[in-house]
Amino acid sequence: LKPPARRRVCMCCTTATAQKLQKSREQCYLETEDLLAALDLPLLYINGTEDVVCPHHQALPCFEAARSQKRLLLLEGKGHNEVTQAAEYWQALQDFLVAVRGRSAGNAPVEKK
């Protein structure tokens, strides 16, 4: 794993207090791409193309770093808090959960007696 190569600062981290704490946060921070590459879990990555909190051009390297089974859904014209308003969001989530449940050995259907 490598230390962060670039600074990521979200809108809530721009306050003076948050900026004072930034250095200590960076000392224990790992690159998101490294974390995703290390996981062996199914991944559903949903992002709006108009998201200013997590812009899709920043999200794509995270998606590409994941080595597990993955699906990317970019919702055209949706912002950070608007993605759940899209029917495609809910359909993708349902399909993902059904697929994950189907792969899980511990979730076999229970017979009713």
Side-chain angles (χ1 to χ4, degrees), residues 54-99:
C54 183
H56 69 279
H57 68 275
Q58 288 181 354
L60 290 177
C62 294
F63 176 78
E64 291 165 1
R67 296 184 180 146
S68 58
Q69 183 177 1
K70 57 189 177 179
R71 176 177 177 208
L72 173 66
L73 175 61
L74 290 176
L75 295 172
E76 192 66 38
K78 297 293 182 191
H80 189 74
N81 294 318
E82 300 169 330
V83 293
T84 58
Q85 297 170 8
E88 300 93 348
Y89 172 94
W90 295 105
Q91 187 62 55
L93 182 59
Q94 179 179 339
D95 294 346
F96 176 77
L97 293 174
V98 167

Side-chain angles (χ1 to χ4, degrees), residues 6 37 45 65 83:
R6 60 193 171 280
Y45 212 109
V83 293

Side-chain angles (χ1 to χ4, degrees), residues 14-94:
T14 58
T15 66
T17 303
Q19 288 185 358
K20 287 178 188 175
L21 299 172
Q22 183 68 23
K23 185 173 177 143
S24 63
R25 283 196 304 266
E26 288 177 359
Q27 290 175 345
C28 64
Y29 175 80
L30 297 174
E31 284 286 350
T32 305
E33 291 88 346
D34 285 337
L35 295 172
L36 287 166
L39 293 176
D40 185 21
L41 299 168
L43 174 68
L44 173 60
Y45 212 109
I46 302 174
N47 200 216
T49 60
E50 300 300 317
D51 190 333
V52 296
V53 177
C54 183
H56 69 279
H57 68 275
Q58 288 181 354
L60 290 177
C62 294
F63 176 78
E64 291 165 1
R67 296 184 180 146
S68 58
Q69 183 177 1
K70 57 189 177 179
R71 176 177 177 208
L72 173 66
L73 175 61
L74 290 176
L75 295 172
E76 192 66 38
K78 297 293 182 191
H80 189 74
N81 294 318
E82 300 169 330
V83 293
T84 58
Q85 297 170 8
E88 300 93 348
Y89 172 94
W90 295 105
Q91 187 62 55
L93 182 59
Q94 179 179 339

